Amino acid sequence: MTKSRNTGYLQYRSFGLVLQALVIMARKGNTCSSCEIAELLSMEATQLRRILAKLTREHILVTREGRDGGYMLNKNPENLTLAEIYQALEVGESCNKAVNDTICFNDFGVQMKAACGDILEEMDRSVLGVLEQYTVADVVRKAGY
C-alpha cells in the first residue's frame, strides 16, 4: 500500500472506530473512560485517545479528569451529524488530496488537475451529502439500542 493510500485507509478506519465510540457514549449517556470504550472496541486505549483528541479539539466531545473521568458527548446525538465527525477527523480531504498528491507538476499534470478537479470535488460533496443525512442517534437506533 502506498503512503497516500495507507493514510486514507487509516483516516477511514479512524472514522469507523470513532463512530462506534460515539454510539457507546450516546447509549451510556454519561462519561465513558477510554479504557471502557477501548475494551468494547478491542483496541488499545492509547490509540483511541489519540483519535478522540481530534473530536475534543472540535468540541464534539468534552473530557473530565479524575477517578470518574473520561469522555462525554458535548452535543445531543440527535443533532450530531456523521458529516461533522467526518470533517473533524479530516477524512473528507483524503480523496481529493490523495489524488492531487499523485499528479505531477508538468503540463500533463496541469491537464489532469483541470480534468479531475471538478470530479473529485463532486465526490467529496457527495460523501458529505450522505453523511449529513444521518446523526449519531440514527446509528444508535439502527444498532438496536
Side-chain angles (χ1 to χ4, degrees), residues 3 12 29 34-35 37 48 64 79-80 83 85 90 92 96 105 119 128 136:
K3 183 179 179 185
Y12 285 108
S34 57
C35 292
I37 299 167
L48 179 65
R64 284 197 180 146
N79 300 323
L80 179 55
I85 298 160
E90 300 171 347
N96 198 345
F105 295 104
I119 296 168
L128 284 175
V136 170

Short mmCIF file of all heavy atoms in Angstrom, two decimals, residues 3 12 29 34-35 37 48 64 79-80 83 85 90 92 96 105 119 128 136:
data_model
loop_
_atom_site.label_atom_id
_atom_site.label_comp_id
_atom_site.label_asym_id
_atom_site.label_seq_id
_atom_site.Cartn_x
_atom_site.Cartn_y
_atom_site.Cartn_z
N LYS A 3 1.95 5.28 0.50
CA LYS A 3 1.75 6.13 1.67
C LYS A 3 0.40 6.84 1.64
O LYS A 3 -0.32 6.85 2.63
CB LYS A 3 2.89 7.16 1.77
CG LYS A 3 2.78 8.02 3.00
CD LYS A 3 3.90 9.00 3.09
CE LYS A 3 3.71 9.84 4.34
NZ LYS A 3 4.66 10.89 4.46
N TYR A 12 -10.12 6.56 7.32
CA TYR A 12 -11.44 5.92 7.28
C TYR A 12 -11.60 4.93 8.43
O TYR A 12 -12.68 4.79 8.98
CB TYR A 12 -11.68 5.24 5.93
CG TYR A 12 -11.97 6.24 4.84
CD1 TYR A 12 -11.04 6.50 3.85
CD2 TYR A 12 -13.17 6.94 4.82
CE1 TYR A 12 -11.31 7.43 2.86
CE2 TYR A 12 -13.44 7.87 3.84
CZ TYR A 12 -12.51 8.11 2.85
OH TYR A 12 -12.77 9.04 1.89
N GLY A 29 -24.88 7.66 27.96
CA GLY A 29 -25.47 8.93 28.36
C GLY A 29 -24.67 9.74 29.35
O GLY A 29 -25.09 10.81 29.76
N SER A 34 -11.73 6.01 28.47
CA SER A 34 -11.13 5.48 27.25
C SER A 34 -10.87 3.99 27.38
O SER A 34 -10.99 3.24 26.40
CB SER A 34 -9.84 6.23 26.91
OG SER A 34 -8.92 6.15 27.97
N CYS A 35 -10.55 3.52 28.59
CA CYS A 35 -10.32 2.08 28.79
C CYS A 35 -11.60 1.28 28.58
O CYS A 35 -11.58 0.22 27.96
CB CYS A 35 -9.76 1.83 30.19
SG CYS A 35 -8.10 2.46 30.43
N ILE A 37 -14.23 2.15 26.70
CA ILE A 37 -14.56 2.17 25.27
C ILE A 37 -13.61 1.27 24.50
O ILE A 37 -14.03 0.46 23.66
CB ILE A 37 -14.51 3.60 24.71
CG1 ILE A 37 -15.54 4.48 25.42
CG2 ILE A 37 -14.76 3.60 23.20
CD1 ILE A 37 -15.35 5.97 25.15
N LEU A 48 -6.97 4.93 20.98
CA LEU A 48 -8.30 5.54 20.99
C LEU A 48 -8.22 6.99 21.45
O LEU A 48 -8.84 7.86 20.85
CB LEU A 48 -9.24 4.74 21.89
CG LEU A 48 -10.65 5.29 22.01
CD1 LEU A 48 -11.39 5.22 20.68
CD2 LEU A 48 -11.42 4.55 23.09
N ARG A 64 -13.38 14.81 31.12
CA ARG A 64 -13.36 15.06 32.57
C ARG A 64 -12.15 14.36 33.13
O ARG A 64 -11.87 13.22 32.78
CB ARG A 64 -14.61 14.49 33.23
CG ARG A 64 -15.83 15.32 33.02
CD ARG A 64 -16.88 14.91 34.02
NE ARG A 64 -18.06 15.72 33.81
CZ ARG A 64 -19.28 15.29 33.99
NH1 ARG A 64 -19.50 14.06 34.38
NH2 ARG A 64 -20.29 16.09 33.78
N ASN A 79 -28.52 15.69 17.16
CA ASN A 79 -28.06 16.84 16.38
C ASN A 79 -26.64 16.70 15.86
O ASN A 79 -26.16 17.59 15.15
CB ASN A 79 -28.16 18.12 17.22
CG ASN A 79 -29.57 18.39 17.68
OD1 ASN A 79 -30.52 18.14 16.95
ND2 ASN A 79 -29.72 18.87 18.89
N LEU A 80 -25.97 15.64 16.21
CA LEU A 80 -24.58 15.43 15.80
C LEU A 80 -24.56 14.59 14.53
O LEU A 80 -24.81 13.39 14.55
CB LEU A 80 -23.80 14.73 16.91
CG LEU A 80 -22.34 14.41 16.65
CD1 LEU A 80 -21.55 15.65 16.23
CD2 LEU A 80 -21.72 13.75 17.87
N ALA A 83 -21.46 13.81 9.19
CA ALA A 83 -20.61 14.72 8.42
C ALA A 83 -19.71 15.54 9.34
O ALA A 83 -18.53 15.76 9.03
CB ALA A 83 -21.47 15.64 7.55
N ILE A 85 -18.53 14.65 12.21
CA ILE A 85 -17.50 13.74 12.70
C ILE A 85 -16.45 13.52 11.61
O ILE A 85 -15.25 13.61 11.86
CB ILE A 85 -18.12 12.40 13.13
CG1 ILE A 85 -19.11 12.63 14.28
CG2 ILE A 85 -17.05 11.39 13.52
CD1 ILE A 85 -20.10 11.52 14.46
N GLU A 90 -10.88 15.02 9.65
CA GLU A 90 -10.19 15.41 8.43
C GLU A 90 -10.14 14.28 7.42
O GLU A 90 -9.20 14.16 6.63
CB GLU A 90 -8.79 15.93 8.75
CG GLU A 90 -8.81 17.14 9.66
CD GLU A 90 -7.45 17.54 10.16
OE1 GLU A 90 -6.49 16.76 10.03
OE2 GLU A 90 -7.35 18.65 10.69
N GLY A 92 -12.50 13.94 5.11
CA GLY A 92 -13.05 14.50 3.89
C GLY A 92 -12.02 14.99 2.90
O GLY A 92 -12.29 15.02 1.71
N ASN A 96 -9.70 13.85 -2.36
CA ASN A 96 -9.23 14.91 -3.24
C ASN A 96 -7.73 15.13 -3.07
O ASN A 96 -6.99 15.21 -4.05
CB ASN A 96 -10.01 16.19 -2.93
CG ASN A 96 -9.93 17.20 -4.05
OD1 ASN A 96 -9.09 17.12 -4.93
ND2 ASN A 96 -10.79 18.18 -3.98
N PHE A 105 3.79 17.84 -11.66
CA PHE A 105 3.75 19.27 -11.88
C PHE A 105 4.06 19.68 -13.32
O PHE A 105 4.26 20.85 -13.59
CB PHE A 105 4.74 19.97 -10.93
CG PHE A 105 4.35 19.83 -9.49
CD1 PHE A 105 5.02 18.94 -8.66
CD2 PHE A 105 3.31 20.57 -8.97
CE1 PHE A 105 4.66 18.81 -7.33
CE2 PHE A 105 2.93 20.45 -7.64
CZ PHE A 105 3.62 19.56 -6.82
N ILE A 119 -14.51 16.58 -10.69
CA ILE A 119 -14.99 15.24 -10.34
C ILE A 119 -14.69 14.93 -8.88
O ILE A 119 -15.55 14.45 -8.14
CB ILE A 119 -14.35 14.18 -11.27
CG1 ILE A 119 -14.79 14.40 -12.70
CG2 ILE A 119 -14.68 12.76 -10.79
CD1 ILE A 119 -14.00 13.62 -13.74
N LEU A 128 -20.17 13.94 1.82
CA LEU A 128 -20.68 14.80 2.89
C LEU A 128 -22.20 14.89 2.83
O LEU A 128 -22.86 14.91 3.87
CB LEU A 128 -20.06 16.19 2.81
CG LEU A 128 -18.62 16.29 3.29
CD1 LEU A 128 -18.07 17.69 3.04
CD2 LEU A 128 -18.50 15.92 4.75
N VAL A 136 -25.68 10.60 14.97
CA VAL A 136 -25.24 9.54 15.87
C VAL A 136 -26.46 8.80 16.42
O VAL A 136 -26.46 7.57 16.52
CB VAL A 136 -24.35 10.09 17.00
CG1 VAL A 136 -24.08 9.05 18.07
CG2 VAL A 136 -23.03 10.62 16.43
#
